[in-house]
């Protein structure tokens, strides 16, 4: 199983601490989501969502978790979790403990149409009152494989509702200094989305390249069959 969300433990702790420190001044219960995630087409991705409570807050019953998909250019919301026929078998909760603060889900086999914004919402009951808290939405961007020929081509989901195609292609002509190993990286702002390593061999000077002699290969393969057929024919003639 391949997970494409990567962040160091230190970065995660710093982001959560800063967010909760600022948000806690206005709310005793906060929900954090990263603003952007990237995932490779056809792979799995973790959709993080973290619930934070101050020490004086006590939840009477386990929160009810909802993950919603917000289509670009539309106000409609589609349920991704807890139950949705459209996402059956494609989402699962990472922590089945309902009292856990980790409300992240695993999104399986992402496709072009999955690109868009996702909202984590929680229905909470404490101190004999019910209320909802939600994150700030996460934008999920899908990307495809990187091709080198020797132009680097990268395919990304466009995320635009009025786009003619659900994806766009980025390409860059790379001047190569000679044979060797080249690494191409795709960044979204300061975050590394993906990278690929290519091995390039320069053609030898004054060396003519000839096509593969496929007809010769075929003729050589027919030689043993021809000899065998001749032997069988000779044996039949001798027996008669």
């Amino acid at each position: 199983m391949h997970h494409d969300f990567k962040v160091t433990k230190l970065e995660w702790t710093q982001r959560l601490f800063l967010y909760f420190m600022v948000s806690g001044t206005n709310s005793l219960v906060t929900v954090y989501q990263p603003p952007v995630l990237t995932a490779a087409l056809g792979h799995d991705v973790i959709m993080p969502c973290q619930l934070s409570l101050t020490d004086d807050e006590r939840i009477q019953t386990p929160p009810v978790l909802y993950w919603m998909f917000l289509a670009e250019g539309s106000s409609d919301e589609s349920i991704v979790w807890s139950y949705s026929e459209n996402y059956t078998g494609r989402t699962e909760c990472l922590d089945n403990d309902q009292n856990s603060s980790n409300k992240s889900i695993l999104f399986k086999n992402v496709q072009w149409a999955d690109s868009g914004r996702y909202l984590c919402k929680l229905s909470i009951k404490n101190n004999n009152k019910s209320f909802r808290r939600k994150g700030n939405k996460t934008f999920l961007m899908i990307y495809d494989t990187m091709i080198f020929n020797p132009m680097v081509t990268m395919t990304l989901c466009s995320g635009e509702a009025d786009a003619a195609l659900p994806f766009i292609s980025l390409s860059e002509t790379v001047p190569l200094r000679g044979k060797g190993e080249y690494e191409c990286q795709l960044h979204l702002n300061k975050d590394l989305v993906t990278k690929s390593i290519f091995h390039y061999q320069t053609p030898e000077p004054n060396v003519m390249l000839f096509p593969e002699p496929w007809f010769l290969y075929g003729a050589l393969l027919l030689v043993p069959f021809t000899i065998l057929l001749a032997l069988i024919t000779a044996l039949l003639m001798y027996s008669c």
Side-chain angles (χ1 to χ4, degrees):
M1 185 176 293
H2 179 76
H3 297 165
D4 290 274
F5 174 73
K6 297 180 180 179
V7 64
T8 64
K9 184 177 181 181
L10 178 60
E11 288 176 333
W12 179 258
T13 303
Q14 290 175 339
R15 292 180 184 181
L16 288 180
F17 176 75
L18 290 173
Y19 181 85
F20 293 148
M21 182 177 65
V22 175
S23 299
T25 59
N26 297 321
S27 176
L28 299 176
V29 181
T30 55
V31 177
Y32 173 78
Q33 292 180 248
V36 179
L37 284 178
T38 59
L41 180 67
H43 288 214
D44 303 341
V45 61
I46 293 177
M47 308 283 286
C49 178
Q50 194 77 16
L51 171 66
S52 176
L53 304 172
T54 53
D55 294 336
D56 57 342
E57 285 292 321
R58 294 292 183 270
I59 295 180
Q60 295 176 346
T61 59
V64 180
L65 173 64
Y66 300 92
W67 271 91
M68 313 297 295
F69 173 66
L70 295 84
E72 290 293 323
S74 174
S75 59
D76 297 335
E77 296 182 351
S78 301
I79 298 177
V80 177
W81 179 273
S82 59
Y83 174 77
S84 171
E85 293 183 357
N86 296 331
Y87 294 90
T88 301
R90 297 188 58 205
T91 57
E92 63 180 56
C93 194
L94 289 185
D95 194 337
N96 292 321
D97 182 4
Q98 293 183 339
N99 293 312
S100 172
S101 61
N102 183 8
K103 303 302 178 182
S104 308
I105 61 172
L106 177 65
F107 200 176
K108 302 178 182 179
N109 188 27
V110 294
Q111 302 298 311
W112 291 125
D114 296 323
S115 180
R117 301 189 183 278
Y118 291 81
L119 177 64
C120 177
K121 297 197 299 186
L122 292 168
S123 293
I124 301 171
K125 183 177 182 181
N126 68 338
N127 299 328
N128 297 319
K129 62 180 180 179
S130 298
F131 58 94
R132 286 190 174 186
R133 285 290 182 269
K134 59 184 180 180
N136 289 330
K137 305 185 187 69
T138 295
F139 178 72
L140 177 62
M141 184 182 71
I142 312 299
Y143 65 89
D144 202 356
T145 54
M146 191 178 292
I147 302 172
F148 182 79
N149 193 28
M151 175 183 287
V152 176
T153 302
M154 187 73 194
T155 306
L156 302 169
C157 187
S158 66
E160 298 177 1
D162 57 349
L165 294 174
F167 54 84
I168 58 175
S169 292
L170 304 178
S171 62
E172 181 72 22
T173 301
V174 182
L176 303 180
R177 298 180 180 179
K179 65 179 181 180
E181 183 178 281
Y182 294 84
E183 181 177 285
C184 182
Q185 298 181 353
L186 177 69
H187 289 258
L188 181 63
N189 297 325
K190 296 182 179 180
D191 298 322
L192 177 65
V193 175
T194 185
K195 63 180 181 180
S196 292
I197 296 177
F198 306 99
H199 299 274
Y200 179 69
Q201 296 290 336
T202 56
E204 296 292 336
N206 302 324
V207 175
M208 295 184 64
L209 299 178
F210 296 95
E212 290 285 347
W214 297 111
F215 291 106
L216 178 59
Y217 295 159
L220 291 175
L221 290 175
L222 290 175
V223 169
F225 294 101
T226 304
I227 295 175
L228 180 61
L229 182 61
L231 290 175
I232 293 174
T233 304
L235 288 174
L236 291 175
M237 293 179 62
Y238 178 79
S239 62
C240 294

